Amino acid sequence: MSFNTFGHLFRVTTWGESHGPALGATVDGCPPGIAVDESMLQHWLDRRKPGTSKYTTQRREPDQVRILSGVFEGQTTGTSIQLMIENTDQRSKDYSEIAEKFRPGHADITYWQKYGIRDYRGGGRSSARETAARVAAGGLARAALAEMVPDLRITGYMVQMGQHKIDRARFDWDQIDQNPFWVPDAEAAEVWATYLDGLRKSGNSVGAVVEVTASGVPAGLGAPIYGKLDTDLAAAAMSINAVKGVEIGEGMAAAELTGEDNADEIFPGNDGQPVYSSNHAGGILGGISTGQDVVLRFAVKPTSSILKTRQTITKSGAATEIITKGRHDPCVGIRAVPVGEAMVACVLLDHVLLHRGQIGENRGRIG
Amino acid sequence: MSFNTFGHLFRVTTWGESHGPALGATVDGCPPGIAVDESMLQHWLDRRKPGTSKYTTQRREPDQVRILSGVFEGQTTGTSIQLMIENTDQRSKDYSEIAEKFRPGHADITYWQKYGIRDYRGGGRSSARETAARVAAGGLARAALAEMVPDLRITGYMVQMGQHKIDRARFDWDQIDQNPFWVPDAEAAEVWATYLDGLRKSGNSVGAVVEVTASGVPAGLGAPIYGKLDTDLAAAAMSINAVKGVEIGEGMAAAELTGEDNADEIFPGNDGQPVYSSNHAGGILGGISTGQDVVLRFAVKPTSSILKTRQTITKSGAATEIITKGRHDPCVGIRAVPVGEAMVACVLLDHVLLHRGQIGENRGRIG
Amino acid sequence: MSFNTFGHLFRVTTWGESHGPALGATVDGCPPGIAVDESMLQHWLDRRKPGTSKYTTQRREPDQVRILSGVFEGQTTGTSIQLMIENTDQRSKDYSEIAEKFRPGHADITYWQKYGIRDYRGGGRSSARETAARVAAGGLARAALAEMVPDLRITGYMVQMGQHKIDRARFDWDQIDQNPFWVPDAEAAEVWATYLDGLRKSGNSVGAVVEVTASGVPAGLGAPIYGKLDTDLAAAAMSINAVKGVEIGEGMAAAELTGEDNADEIFPGNDGQPVYSSNHAGGILGGISTGQDVVLRFAVKPTSSILKTRQTITKSGAATEIITKGRHDPCVGIRAVPVGEAMVACVLLDHVLLHRGQIGENRGRIG
Amino acid sequence: MSFNTFGHLFRVTTWGESHGPALGATVDGCPPGIAVDESMLQHWLDRRKPGTSKYTTQRREPDQVRILSGVFEGQTTGTSIQLMIENTDQRSKDYSEIAEKFRPGHADITYWQKYGIRDYRGGGRSSARETAARVAAGGLARAALAEMVPDLRITGYMVQMGQHKIDRARFDWDQIDQNPFWVPDAEAAEVWATYLDGLRKSGNSVGAVVEVTASGVPAGLGAPIYGKLDTDLAAAAMSINAVKGVEIGEGMAAAELTGEDNADEIFPGNDGQPVYSSNHAGGILGGISTGQDVVLRFAVKPTSSILKTRQTITKSGAATEIITKGRHDPCVGIRAVPVGEAMVACVLLDHVLLHRGQIGENRGRIG
């Protein structure tokens, strides 16, 4: 992963600013012969699209993706694929103030310190709009995974908003699509709705924790030492805007466990393959998948663009204050759910290809 | 980062198994003219060395590092540097049982599932002994950073063992070297000593949280979108054996904050450079360093090699149980402290070089 | 270099097929603050444009480049730059026959054998149209080099067409732009015009040798062992469509020299820097630039799309014959000249950045 | 390929100087389960070993390779493999003069100009001794290829020494191992022996052309656009010390052919697979292997370390002259033969893995 590219064999390079003419993803290394069309990618983009509820930014971005290369007669050709999304709702006037001031908690100041120039319109390259390109690339990865690992399922959902956590006892996969928060707990959805409405009206924002579970991941994906599956998942998650923490399985809570409690015991399953008493490991041991569910969790900080007055400085170094008007997400964690799924899809496909490259289709059966 | 290599311009490739003849790191891209000798690297290795207290494994590994290439007359030449550590304490007999059984919570089973072959002696490639090579490479990175960014300081320490956290109000940098836990809280050191002694005697183990702070990091290091400084730090930390969670600044707790609380306000400093009211961001905004302290935290799970009986299966898929005799760390988090420091050093040097490559020495002054 | 990306720090990923909606280059790692606009890139594209004389294909492709990202208010921002060229002249009917047959000497058959699918319209991804994206990226590299290494000059020209070589005694830099062949020998230009006219009318094609000279290259660019400047130049040249041989300095003729003859003797120059008695080395020793002119030469094979009947097979494996109608270049070497220049520009900028990254601005003065 | 690493999935990083304690190769990405031991690697190293005839340097280097990691119980484990060769014949006194002077035609001056420091003993990192590490890595690649592509054969040989070329009409594969020049033409071997003896006695040296043929290469290896098989072969060959030109198939002579002559016509073979009337393409079309013999040729310049007086300068910039005493190769092309084979083996294995990664075992059958 370097600069604007991530992945080893399935490589995604994104480009574009929030208020330029377009943005997109250049995808390299996709297997050939994968059935894909624009509507399949659009399906995932629509989940991330702003303005779907009052809990996300009210910008109007249709986020229509076009496939400009690498797909012929409905199938990938194995060559580089260009996915382009044109920007249509560019109300630059909302952002004029931030040309001279730095929003606290935002990349404004660091882009300036690094490059000495920045596209300040809507955050430019640092805008979360970049994640639309990831979701398009993730849709492509899902299409390839659907053919190569048909049992694989990748599902993202929110498990925490502010201090409100879900109750795992009420976890219901079917609830995830039934509320604007992708939350698997119907009662939490109601509490969060009230809570976020209050925050939104007060011009404030709040953080969240997103969890992505991948089931049906074959054992053996990943590679020591610096190409571990969890290393790449951590990097992928941390690369998402506003993410400040990443966990696999028990995550930070692993610190509290003893070795006796943490060890997922192993038993022979009916099909001769191992089954486990628990999944503290989050499906990954030594950087390699076990065949259990891969469980990734990441924390998204609250949006820094808020209607609250904050102290800051100008480009000239003078003290000032700032309120960021505009149409922002009160909880960007919501729209981070499909982004997290997309990143997991890209990483998993990459590791499926890497494994096949080094090792082939079969290795290391137990029994 | 891929397979056994990490880094972009300053690249480290490690090799070797715990019970092979030697292990080491091949380091590429180091700047030339850096003064370095074996004793400078040995200094850091001695901090990680096993057997320094009763709280770490009683294996006797002197971990003497040799520089086999890339250093001439006391200076780096700019060409590839080989750092080799010969293995001397190879009591293979301790590990004979695990040739046929998989330790729960250990990479035994996944290496087998991936490769169909594994060096089972002492964990082979999955052993934490590999981290000695990282510490050697980190020593080299520190030597280069000392010349290039003299004010940079990298300090690791433990902030949690099991459920016992430090009291931040008692945080004292000078305490870190005064106890066997690298803990900046003298009272915690006493509590932990008693706690860990009990665990050790019962043949159990426990997890920990390690924090690494880098002060004096110049603003502007890192790069969007997939070469973010925090992306690389997260990957570096997650690549360390047994790590299950990674945090920058507020980390997972960022989920609980509002945008108003999370935004580190900015003020003009005496030298014309920005100062901040707080450091929720952990020194990184938009993937780029702000000039504040970079704060990385990671959770280490408890060692899976314990003297407790656990259920498992054999290579043939038969149910069995296992007790892992041998000389293991009751809390590997202790020895993960110098490893975490080393990884931070490598990542920071890499980003210093990347920044200089793309941008040169100066960009984007404020004021 | 891998799949569709080349370069280390200055990285170019190209995408697009000859008859898709568009093609382009995604450029990453460009230094910020470089003044660039579309007209500066268009200047170089116009040199490569088809249909400028009767000696190149009569397709009508305006090859208008658009900058979609990474440039703000006339300057590069340091983030990824998307250069897109829309395809406008897509007469697919010319290519219908090759959907079922493989042109001898063309990538038709190998794309099919590799991928099992290919975009057969106009060669798809294997078309030399892809080189338009390289020329656009090369224009960007030239803009950065113009600011970073103002004395650098990159000039490409033809030195051989078929069996007709230039006479080095008549070499005249000013002639290069005065004829449709970019040939620095006015007499050769006349001979070649007659020769190529005959070939063109008979529906045949011919190969060529292109030379690119870079003067003003600072000493010290390149890196042992696998990042040598000549390694990257060789790879860059060999990646151009139809190239079958690459030479640095004496090239293949170095085999015929003795050590006494080949050694470019060194003398102290007026400015204290070394001067050389000759340049057999082509400006590169041990993979690192000497400060002399860097001289790269490459051979381009004749176009395989010709109006001559050739024996071939169908996708079903049946014997057949083929004549490739359409509007093809009788000597693709002509249009390879600006492509070769572009590749040299990209490689040199990449190595300028790599050198600055590892070493900084100054090292190793003589005297 | 970057700095000291080459390869994509099968990656080789070499390290070590000619007069340091040791040198070697760190090999990553090798498939697991490949039977390999030190004697298998030694076989290839012995072919490159100095002092085997009066036509190579009389240094005594046993070049014994040790496998320090990544091989367990006679099989590769899939983890990183360290191949180390200790240096034993370090007569540094032969090289004392070159500490202050630069040998014309040698990397002495450019290493100094780049790094400001160099290990001048025996050329340090720029010494051809580094190629021993490549040959060891190539032995490993051959072992993997022997299991994965059993019909593959890689054979290197010299086709030109100075102005003396072989007569292709006398080409005899069985002759290659029968003379000290690896030349497939018995008459040429006699002429070359007399010629080189004269050069050697006069303290001079001469260049050569080496050809490597790989038969049994499956169709479909390689990848457009910058991961072409010939791109990687060209880079691999150009990375070898003293190489100044690289050719695939017709190479530079492709410039002289018409499209009609150059097009290798295709016919249906007995097994339903294509057969070709000729192999101008050298087994590669569009960067992808055709299934024909892959033919790589490269020119090696004469050794610059000769017993002839040449003009040069000192580190201080003063004019001086130099004679390089010591035990040098009159024609390094001889020992470049096994090196060329090794590089081809590494590139082919890398592309076998890359192809399997992206595409799997089977794609694109004809018929």
Side-chain angles (χ1 to χ4, degrees):
Chain A
M1 304 207 184
S2 52
F3 291 6
N4 295 283
T5 300
F6 75 93
H8 307 273
L9 280 184
F10 182 78
R11 260 188 296 261
V12 177
T13 306
T14 67
W15 55 273
E17 291 89 44
S18 62
H19 285 62
L23 54 82
T26 311
V27 182
D28 204 0
C30 187
I34 305 297
V36 69
D37 61 24
E38 290 169 354
S39 72
M40 291 168 67
L41 307 183
Q42 196 61 46
H43 170 75
W44 304 108
L45 276 161
D46 288 348
R47 287 163 56 96
R48 180 200 159 281
K49 196 169 59 176
T52 50
S53 80
K54 63 183 172 183
Y55 304 110
T56 61
T57 171
Q58 297 304 302
R59 280 194 304 272
R60 291 277 171 260
E61 290 285 3
D63 281 354
Q64 287 288 334
V65 64
R66 289 182 62 201
I67 300 174
L68 296 186
S69 69
V71 174
F72 182 62
E73 297 181 344
Q75 290 190 310
T76 58
T77 61
T79 63
S80 47
I81 299 169
Q82 183 58 254
L83 307 174
M84 184 173 75
I85 299 163
E86 289 180 88
N87 288 324
T88 54
D89 183 23
Q90 306 170 19
R91 296 198 213 165
S92 295
K93 61 180 179 296
D94 286 345
Y95 297 96
S96 54
E97 189 185 35
I98 61 168
E100 294 302 315
K101 298 179 182 179
F102 305 117
R103 283 167 288 181
H106 195 279
D108 292 340
I109 192 166
T110 53
Y111 271 62
W112 179 258
Q113 287 175 307
K114 182 171 192 76
Y115 297 118
I117 180 176
R118 69 188 172 98
D119 181 349
Y120 48 77
R121 300 166 303 167
R125 184 67 181 145
S126 72
S127 165
R129 249 195 89 57
E130 183 271 344
T131 59
R134 304 178 189 228
V135 172
L140 198 56
R142 281 180 186 266
L145 286 167
E147 298 197 11
M148 300 179 72
V149 193
D151 292 338
L152 186 69
R153 294 286 175 276
I154 298 167
T155 312
Y157 42 90
M158 284 179 73
V159 295
Q160 184 177 344
M161 177 186 288
Q163 297 186 340
H164 303 282
K165 300 185 183 183
I166 64 163
D167 181 344
R168 295 260 171 190
R170 288 196 297 261
F171 196 108
D172 179 356
W173 293 98
D174 294 334
Q175 281 298 318
I176 295 174
D177 283 339
Q178 304 300 317
N179 59 73
F181 308 113
W182 316 106
V183 58
D185 170 352
E187 290 189 31
E190 289 183 36
V191 174
W192 296 8
T194 309
Y195 171 66
L196 195 58
D197 221 26
L199 270 177
R200 184 176 61 83
K201 286 172 181 165
S202 73
N204 210 341
S205 63
V206 73
V209 177
V210 173
E211 187 169 286
V212 182
T213 294
S215 62
V217 177
L221 298 191
I225 297 293
Y226 306 111
K228 288 176 174 168
L229 183 57
D230 36 359
T231 295
D232 282 356
L233 287 171
M238 196 61 95
S239 77
I240 300 172
N241 305 49
V243 171
K244 301 303 283 185
V246 180
E247 302 186 315
I248 302 291
E250 284 291 336
M252 299 305 291
E256 306 192 3
L257 296 179
T258 65
E260 191 172 9
D261 294 334
N262 183 65
D264 304 311
E265 290 182 296
I266 317 175
F267 301 88
N270 290 334
D271 64 350
Q273 292 310 295
V275 293
Y276 294 82
S277 61
S278 50
N279 189 14
H280 296 292
I284 302 176
L285 287 173
I288 301 172
S289 61
T290 62
Q292 287 195 280
D293 284 0
V294 170
V295 182
L296 168 73
R297 219 173 303 105
F298 56 88
V300 181
K301 71 177 185 184
T303 321
S304 51
S305 301
I306 50 177
L307 277 165
K308 300 286 185 180
T309 303
R310 309 301 294 155
Q311 298 300 307
T312 190
I313 61 174
T314 66
K315 274 165 57 179
S316 311
T320 185
E321 56 187 27
I322 192 166
I323 289 183
T324 312
K325 291 166 193 157
R327 299 154 295 164
H328 296 291
D329 288 281
C331 179
V332 282
I334 300 170
R335 292 172 60 212
V337 171
V339 179
E341 291 177 336
M343 296 306 285
V344 170
C346 291
V347 170
L348 289 177
L349 175 59
D350 194 24
H351 277 278
V352 165
L353 301 182
L354 279 171
H355 181 85
R356 185 167 69 174
Q358 190 189 5
I359 298 181
E361 298 293 350
N362 285 299
R363 290 297 302 173
R365 292 285 293 177
I366 287 168
Chain B
M1 305 209 182
S2 52
F3 291 6
N4 295 282
T5 299
F6 76 91
H8 307 273
L9 280 184
F10 182 78
R11 260 187 295 260
V12 177
T13 307
T14 68
W15 55 273
E17 291 89 41
S18 63
H19 285 62
L23 55 81
T26 310
V27 182
D28 205 1
C30 188
I34 305 296
V36 69
D37 61 24
E38 290 169 354
S39 71
M40 292 168 66
L41 306 184
Q42 195 62 46
H43 170 75
W44 304 108
L45 277 162
D46 288 347
R47 287 164 56 96
R48 180 202 159 279
K49 196 168 59 176
T52 50
S53 80
K54 64 183 173 184
Y55 304 108
T56 61
T57 172
Q58 297 304 301
R59 279 194 304 271
R60 291 277 170 260
E61 292 283 4
D63 280 356
Q64 288 289 335
V65 65
R66 290 183 61 201
I67 301 175
L68 295 186
S69 70
V71 175
F72 183 62
E73 297 181 343
Q75 289 190 313
T76 58
T77 61
T79 63
S80 48
I81 299 169
Q82 183 58 255
L83 307 174
M84 182 173 75
I85 299 164
E86 288 181 89
N87 288 324
T88 55
D89 183 22
Q90 305 171 18
R91 297 197 213 167
S92 296
K93 61 180 180 295
D94 286 345
Y95 297 97
S96 53
E97 190 185 37
I98 61 170
E100 294 303 315
K101 298 180 182 179
F102 304 118
R103 282 168 289 181
H106 195 279
D108 292 340
I109 193 167
T110 52
Y111 270 62
W112 178 258
Q113 286 176 309
K114 182 172 191 75
Y115 298 117
I117 180 176
R118 68 187 172 98
D119 181 349
Y120 48 76
R121 300 167 303 165
R125 183 69 181 145
S126 71
S127 166
R129 250 195 88 57
E130 183 270 344
T131 59
R134 304 177 188 228
V135 172
L140 198 57
R142 281 179 186 265
L145 286 168
E147 298 197 12
M148 300 178 73
V149 193
D151 292 338
L152 186 69
R153 294 287 174 276
I154 299 167
T155 312
Y157 41 90
M158 284 179 71
V159 296
Q160 183 177 345
M161 178 187 287
Q163 297 187 340
H164 303 282
K165 300 184 182 183
I166 65 164
D167 180 345
R168 297 258 171 191
R170 287 196 299 260
F171 197 108
D172 178 356
W173 293 98
D174 294 333
Q175 281 297 318
I176 294 173
D177 284 337
Q178 304 301 318
N179 60 71
F181 308 113
W182 317 106
V183 59
D185 170 352
E187 289 188 32
E190 288 182 39
V191 174
W192 296 8
T194 309
Y195 171 66
L196 195 58
D197 221 27
L199 270 177
R200 183 177 61 83
K201 286 173 181 162
S202 72
N204 210 339
S205 63
V206 75
V209 176
V210 173
E211 187 169 287
V212 182
T213 295
S215 62
V217 177
L221 299 191
I225 298 292
Y226 306 112
K228 287 177 173 168
L229 184 57
D230 37 359
T231 295
D232 282 356
L233 287 170
M238 195 61 95
S239 77
I240 300 172
N241 306 50
V243 171
K244 300 304 283 185
V246 180
E247 302 187 315
I248 301 291
E250 284 291 336
M252 299 305 292
E256 306 192 3
L257 297 178
T258 66
E260 189 172 11
D261 295 334
N262 183 63
D264 305 310
E265 290 181 297
I266 317 176
F267 301 89
N270 290 333
D271 64 349
Q273 292 310 295
V275 293
Y276 294 82
S277 61
S278 51
N279 189 14
H280 297 292
I284 302 176
L285 287 173
I288 300 172
S289 61
T290 62
Q292 287 195 282
D293 284 0
V294 170
V295 182
L296 169 72
R297 218 172 303 105
F298 56 88
V300 181
K301 72 177 185 184
T303 322
S304 52
S305 301
I306 50 176
L307 278 164
K308 300 285 186 182
T309 303
R310 308 303 293 155
Q311 298 300 308
T312 189
I313 60 173
T314 66
K315 275 164 56 179
S316 310
T320 184
E321 56 187 28
I322 192 166
I323 290 185
T324 313
K325 291 165 191 159
R327 299 156 295 163
H328 296 291
D329 287 281
C331 179
V332 282
I334 300 171
R335 293 172 59 210
V337 171
V339 179
E341 291 177 338
M343 296 307 285
V344 170
C346 290
V347 170
L348 288 177
L349 176 58
D350 193 25
H351 277 276
V352 165
L353 301 183
L354 279 172
H355 180 85
R356 185 166 70 175
Q358 190 189 6
I359 298 181
E361 299 293 349
N362 287 298
R363 291 296 301 173
R365 292 285 294 177
I366 287 168
Chain C
M1 302 207 185
S2 52
F3 290 9
N4 296 283
T5 300
F6 76 93
H8 307 273
L9 281 184
F10 182 79
R11 262 188 294 262
V12 177
T13 305
T14 68
W15 55 274
E17 291 89 42
S18 62
H19 284 63
L23 54 84
T26 311
V27 182
D28 204 1
C30 188
I34 305 296
V36 68
D37 62 23
E38 290 169 354
S39 72
M40 290 168 67
L41 307 184
Q42 197 61 45
H43 171 75
W44 304 109
L45 276 162
D46 288 348
R47 287 164 57 96
R48 181 201 158 280
K49 195 169 61 176
T52 51
S53 81
K54 64 183 173 185
Y55 304 109
T56 61
T57 173
Q58 297 305 299
R59 280 192 304 271
R60 291 278 170 259
E61 290 284 3
D63 281 354
Q64 287 289 335
V65 64
R66 288 183 62 201
I67 301 175
L68 296 186
S69 70
V71 175
F72 182 63
E73 297 182 344
Q75 289 190 312
T76 58
T77 61
T79 63
S80 47
I81 299 169
Q82 183 58 255
L83 308 174
M84 183 173 75
I85 299 163
E86 288 180 89
N87 287 323
T88 54
D89 183 22
Q90 305 171 18
R91 295 197 212 168
S92 297
K93 62 180 179 295
D94 287 344
Y95 297 97
S96 54
E97 189 186 37
I98 61 169
E100 294 303 316
K101 297 179 182 179
F102 304 118
R103 282 167 288 180
H106 196 279
D108 291 340
I109 192 166
T110 52
Y111 271 62
W112 179 257
Q113 286 176 308
K114 183 172 192 75
Y115 298 117
I117 180 177
R118 68 188 172 97
D119 180 348
Y120 48 77
R121 300 166 302 167
R125 184 69 181 143
S126 71
S127 165
R129 251 194 87 59
E130 182 271 343
T131 60
R134 304 178 189 229
V135 172
L140 198 56
R142 281 180 185 264
L145 286 167
E147 298 196 13
M148 300 178 72
V149 193
D151 293 337
L152 186 69
R153 293 285 175 279
I154 298 167
T155 312
Y157 42 90
M158 284 179 72
V159 295
Q160 184 177 344
M161 177 187 287
Q163 297 187 339
H164 303 283
K165 300 184 181 181
I166 65 164
D167 181 345
R168 296 261 171 188
R170 287 195 300 259
F171 196 109
D172 179 356
W173 293 98
D174 293 334
Q175 281 297 317
I176 294 173
D177 284 339
Q178 305 300 316
N179 59 72
F181 308 114
W182 316 106
V183 59
D185 170 351
E187 290 188 30
E190 289 183 34
V191 174
W192 296 8
T194 309
Y195 171 67
L196 195 59
D197 221 27
L199 270 176
R200 184 178 59 84
K201 286 174 179 161
S202 74
N204 209 341
S205 63
V206 74
V209 176
V210 172
E211 187 169 286
V212 182
T213 294
S215 63
V217 177
L221 299 190
I225 297 292
Y226 306 112
K228 289 177 174 169
L229 184 57
D230 37 359
T231 294
D232 282 356
L233 287 170
M238 195 63 94
S239 77
I240 300 172
N241 305 50
V243 171
K244 301 302 284 187
V246 180
E247 301 186 316
I248 301 291
E250 285 291 335
M252 299 305 292
E256 305 192 3
L257 296 178
T258 66
E260 191 172 10
D261 295 335
N262 183 65
D264 304 311
E265 290 182 297
I266 317 174
F267 300 89
N270 289 334
D271 63 349
Q273 291 311 295
V275 293
Y276 294 82
S277 61
S278 51
N279 189 13
H280 296 292
I284 302 175
L285 287 173
I288 300 171
S289 61
T290 62
Q292 288 194 280
D293 285 1
V294 169
V295 182
L296 169 73
R297 219 173 302 108
F298 56 88
V300 182
K301 72 176 186 184
T303 322
S304 51
S305 301
I306 51 176
L307 278 164
K308 300 285 184 179
T309 304
R310 309 302 294 157
Q311 298 299 310
T312 190
I313 61 174
T314 65
K315 275 165 56 179
S316 312
T320 184
E321 55 186 30
I322 192 167
I323 289 183
T324 313
K325 290 166 191 156
R327 300 154 296 163
H328 296 289
D329 288 281
C331 180
V332 281
I334 300 170
R335 293 172 60 209
V337 171
V339 179
E341 291 176 338
M343 295 307 284
V344 170
C346 291
V347 170
L348 288 178
L349 175 59
D350 192 26
H351 277 277
V352 166
L353 301 182
L354 278 171
H355 180 85
R356 185 166 70 174
Q358 189 188 8
I359 299 183
E361 299 293 349
N362 286 298
R363 290 295 302 172
R365 292 284 295 176
I366 287 167
Chain D
M1 304 207 184
S2 53
F3 291 7
N4 295 282
T5 299
F6 75 91
H8 308 272
L9 280 184
F10 182 79
R11 261 187 295 260
V12 177
T13 306
T14 68
W15 55 273
E17 292 89 42
S18 63
H19 285 62
L23 55 82
T26 311
V27 182
D28 204 1
C30 188
I34 305 295
V36 69
D37 61 24
E38 290 170 354
S39 71
M40 290 168 68
L41 307 184
Q42 196 62 45
H43 171 74
W44 304 109
L45 275 162
D46 288 348
R47 287 164 57 97
R48 181 202 159 278
K49 195 167 62 176
T52 50
S53 81
K54 63 183 172 184
Y55 304 110
T56 61
T57 172
Q58 297 303 300
R59 281 194 304 270
R60 291 278 171 260
E61 290 283 4
D63 280 355
Q64 287 288 335
V65 65
R66 288 184 62 201
I67 300 174
L68 295 187
S69 71
V71 175
F72 182 63
E73 296 181 344
Q75 290 190 310
T76 57
T77 61
T79 63
S80 48
I81 299 170
Q82 183 56 256
L83 307 174
M84 183 174 74
I85 299 163
E86 290 181 87
N87 288 324
T88 54
D89 183 22
Q90 306 170 18
R91 296 197 213 168
S92 296
K93 62 179 179 295
D94 288 344
Y95 297 96
S96 54
E97 190 185 37
I98 61 170
E100 293 303 316
K101 298 179 181 178
F102 304 118
R103 283 167 288 181
H106 195 278
D108 291 341
I109 193 166
T110 51
Y111 270 61
W112 179 258
Q113 286 175 309
K114 182 172 193 75
Y115 298 117
I117 180 175
R118 70 189 171 96
D119 181 349
Y120 48 77
R121 301 166 303 167
R125 184 69 182 142
S126 72
S127 165
R129 250 195 88 57
E130 183 270 344
T131 59
R134 305 178 188 227
V135 172
L140 198 57
R142 281 179 185 266
L145 287 167
E147 298 196 12
M148 298 178 73
V149 193
D151 292 338
L152 186 69
R153 294 285 174 277
I154 299 167
T155 311
Y157 42 89
M158 285 179 72
V159 296
Q160 183 177 345
M161 177 187 287
Q163 298 187 338
H164 303 282
K165 300 184 180 180
I166 64 164
D167 181 346
R168 296 260 171 188
R170 286 196 300 260
F171 196 108
D172 179 357
W173 293 98
D174 294 333
Q175 281 297 317
I176 294 173
D177 283 340
Q178 304 301 317
N179 59 71
F181 307 114
W182 316 105
V183 58
D185 171 350
E187 290 188 32
E190 288 183 36
V191 173
W192 295 9
T194 307
Y195 171 67
L196 195 58
D197 221 27
L199 270 176
R200 183 178 60 83
K201 286 173 180 163
S202 73
N204 209 341
S205 63
V206 74
V209 177
V210 172
E211 187 169 287
V212 181
T213 295
S215 63
V217 177
L221 299 190
I225 296 292
Y226 306 111
K228 288 177 174 170
L229 183 57
D230 37 359
T231 294
D232 281 355
L233 287 170
M238 195 61 95
S239 78
I240 300 172
N241 306 50
V243 170
K244 301 304 284 186
V246 179
E247 302 187 315
I248 301 291
E250 284 291 337
M252 300 303 293
E256 305 191 3
L257 297 178
T258 65
E260 189 172 12
D261 294 334
N262 183 64
D264 305 310
E265 290 182 297
I266 317 175
F267 301 88
N270 290 334
D271 64 349
Q273 292 311 295
V275 293
Y276 294 83
S277 62
S278 51
N279 188 14
H280 296 293
I284 302 175
L285 287 173
I288 300 172
S289 61
T290 62
Q292 287 195 282
D293 285 0
V294 170
V295 182
L296 169 72
R297 218 173 303 108
F298 57 88
V300 182
K301 72 178 184 183
T303 322
S304 51
S305 300
I306 51 175
L307 277 165
K308 301 286 187 181
T309 304
R310 309 303 293 157
Q311 298 301 307
T312 189
I313 61 174
T314 66
K315 274 164 56 178
S316 311
T320 184
E321 56 187 28
I322 192 166
I323 290 184
T324 312
K325 291 165 191 157
R327 299 155 296 165
H328 295 291
D329 288 280
C331 179
V332 282
I334 300 171
R335 292 172 60 210
V337 171
V339 179
E341 291 177 338
M343 296 307 285
V344 171
C346 291
V347 170
L348 288 177
L349 175 58
D350 193 25
H351 277 277
V352 165
L353 300 182
L354 279 171
H355 181 84
R356 186 167 69 175
Q358 189 188 7
I359 298 182
E361 300 292 351
N362 286 299
R363 290 297 300 174
R365 293 284 295 176
I366 287 168

